Amino acid sequence: MRYNARQLSRLLLDWYDRNRRAFPWRALPGETADPYRVWLSEIMLQQTGTATVISYFNKFITRWPTVHTLAKAELDDVLTAWAGLGYYARARNLHRCAQIISSEMAGEFPCDLAALQKLPGIGPYTASAISAIAFNRAGPVLDGNIERVLSRLYRVTAPLPGSKPELRNLSLALIDCARPGDMAQAMMDLGAAVCTPRGPDCTHCAWRKPCMANALNCAESLPVKPARRQSPTRVGAVFWLVREDGAVLLRRRPERGLLGGMMEFPGTPWRDEIEDIAQHMPAACNWRALPGAVRHVFTHFKLELAVYTGACSCMSSVDGIWVKPESFHDFALPAVMRKVAAHVQSQHP
Ligand code: SF4
C-alpha cells in the first residue's frame, strides 16, 4: 500500500502526541508557543545538541525572561553566559537581534520567513523552524534529524548536501497539514529517539510500514554523506603571565573573526607553523614552557597550543587586564582558553 502525505502525517502525529519530548522551550499540548523561547532555543541549537542546550537555555531564561531584558543586557554578560556553547558570533547576533526586536518591533517577533531572515543570526533553516514552531506556519524545516528521517522514509540515495532540495520538497509535501509546527517537531523527535544514525528502532517506528529504507533493510546506509576532508592542524603559543598578587593577564580578541570579542590569554597567531614566539610575549620575564600541549577542535581546523608561564612584578606596562583565576567565570573565556587555564592549573595545583 502506498501512503499519501495525509496518512503519513497522521501516523506520525499520533505517535508524537504520545511520545513528544518535553523541553523548557516547548509549549505543552494546548498551549501557545512563546516566540522568544522558540527563537532563543533555535539559535542555541544551531550547532549544539539538546542535552547541552537545556542548562544554557534555563540560565538565559532565568536571567533574561523576555526579549526586552535580553536587549538591555551588556554584551559581555551575554558572551559570558554563552561561554561553552561555542560559535560566539551567534551570541553577538542573538544580542543584536534582541535589540532590534525590542526597539524596532515592540518586542514582537515577525512570523513570516522573509522578515525573520532579515534579522541577525537567522538563516533559512532557523526562520522556517521559528515560523513553524512559534507561529504554526507551514514551511520547509530541515535539520539533521529530519534529513535523516526523510532520506530513509523515501530512500533518497543522492548524497548530502546535494539532496537537500529534494528533501526540502519532500518535507514541504509532508507538512501540508493543520499542525505544521507539531509535524516539524515530530520529525525531529523521531530522528532523535527512534530513527537514530546508528541502530534505528524500526520495529517501534510510527513509519515502519511506509518506510522504504526499512522495507529494503538499508536504513543505516542513509543518508549518504559526502566524503570527509581531513581538517588541517594549526599551531600557536599562549602566555600565562602571573602578577605578584596571583592575577593573570587577559586581553580581548578583535571584534571580527573567530571568537570575536572574547577574552584570551595573550599568544601568537594560529598558523600552519609556529611563529617567532618571542615577538608575541606580553612582557620580558623568565618564560617557562609547560610540558604537553592544549588541543582544541574548531569546525574547520584543529589547534595545538604550547603554553608558557611567567611571573612579573609589572603593574601597568602591559596591554590587557589582570584577573584572578577564581574570577575567570565573570569573563567571556572561550572553551579553548578554559582548557589553557586547566592545563596550567593541573601543573601548578
Ligand atoms: Fe527510520 Fe526505521 Fe522509522 Fe524508517 S522505519 S523512519 S528507517 S526508524
Side-chain angles (χ1 to χ4, degrees):
M1 166 185 174
R2 283 187 72 85
Y3 289 73
N4 61 34
R6 180 186 289 247
Q7 292 166 319
L8 288 170
S9 61
R10 190 176 306 142
L11 277 174
L12 189 62
L13 287 171
D14 283 350
W15 172 84
Y16 180 68
D17 288 339
R18 285 179 274 111
N19 297 283
R20 56 189 288 150
R21 294 178 295 172
F23 291 120
W25 51 85
R26 257 193 195 171
L28 295 170
E31 282 184 359
T32 305
D34 175 353
Y36 173 60
R37 286 175 167 251
V38 173
W39 162 75
L40 183 58
S41 66
E42 285 299 331
I43 301 296
M44 289 182 168
L45 289 164
Q46 279 173 354
Q47 306 283 347
T48 313
T50 51
T52 303
V53 163
I54 288 173
S55 64
Y56 282 89
F57 178 86
N58 286 334
K59 179 167 61 173
F60 268 67
I61 213 76
T62 302
R63 192 160 176 192
W64 300 298
T66 66
V67 71
H68 297 297
T69 51
L70 182 58
K72 284 190 198 131
E74 293 293 330
L75 176 59
D76 260 7
D77 289 341
V78 175
L79 290 172
T80 302
W82 189 272
L85 274 177
Y87 303 91
Y88 293 91
R90 287 189 293 155
R92 304 165 72 80
N93 282 331
L94 181 92
H95 189 240
R96 181 80 195 109
C97 184
Q99 291 176 324
I100 293 171
I101 299 284
S102 175
S103 63
E104 298 175 22
M105 300 178 177
E108 301 287 334
F109 281 82
C111 58
D112 71 278
L113 294 181
L116 281 165
Q117 283 186 61
K118 286 187 185 142
L119 292 165
I122 299 185
Y125 166 74
T126 305
S128 297
I130 295 171
S131 177
I133 297 169
F135 300 105
N136 205 32
R137 290 198 160 200
V141 184
L142 213 58
D143 72 352
N145 279 329
I146 297 178
E147 284 173 357
R148 183 170 60 257
V149 170
L150 291 180
S151 296
R152 292 171 176 177
L153 176 67
Y154 292 106
R155 197 174 163 264
V156 175
T157 53
L160 285 167
S163 59
K164 277 178 186 272
E166 182 181 358
L167 294 171
R168 186 176 179 277
N169 289 339
L170 291 169
S171 107
L172 261 178
L174 263 184
I175 59 176
D176 183 23
C177 68
R179 298 168 60 188
D182 281 349
M183 191 64 192
Q185 291 176 100
M187 284 194 279
M188 291 173 189
D189 284 12
L190 191 78
V194 180
C195 192
T196 48
R198 297 273 159 267
D201 187 7
C202 300
T203 312
H204 298 104
C205 179
W207 279 344
R208 67 188 174 282
K209 286 184 182 163
C211 178
M212 293 172 70
N214 183 34
L216 296 169
N217 201 20
C218 64
E220 280 206 26
S221 66
L222 298 171
V224 179
K225 299 257 175 74
R228 262 187 186 275
R229 276 208 322 236
Q230 189 99 30
S231 62
T233 298
R234 293 187 194 163
V235 291
V238 65
F239 305 105
W240 176 276
L241 184 61
V242 192
R243 207 170 54 177
E244 284 165 326
D245 63 355
V248 179
L249 185 67
L250 291 179
R251 70 181 181 188
R252 190 178 293 280
R253 291 179 62 83
E255 291 297 317
R256 294 195 165 274
L258 184 68
L259 308 177
M262 305 289 291
M263 302 302 288
E264 67 174 4
F265 305 107
T268 65
W270 303 338
R271 300 268 158 78
D272 294 341
E273 292 182 6
I274 195 100
E275 296 226 341
D276 173 11
I277 63 168
Q279 63 173 309
H280 298 284
M281 289 171 172
C285 67
N286 198 9
W287 290 104
R288 188 171 76 89
L290 290 187
V294 169
R295 293 182 176 81
H296 191 74
V297 178
F298 292 97
T299 318
H300 300 299
F301 68 95
K302 296 176 192 146
L303 178 65
E304 274 186 28
L305 290 175
V307 182
Y308 291 78
T309 60
C312 77
S313 55
C314 50
M315 299 300 282
S316 61
S317 57
V318 292
D319 287 337
I321 58 169
W322 295 96
V323 179
K324 294 212 170 161
E326 56 268 31
S327 299
F328 283 169
H329 58 265
D330 292 332
F331 291 84
L333 270 185
V336 60
M337 292 298 147
R338 291 179 189 273
K339 283 187 186 175
V340 170
H343 184 66
V344 173
Q345 287 164 335
S346 71
Q347 302 191 36
H348 296 89

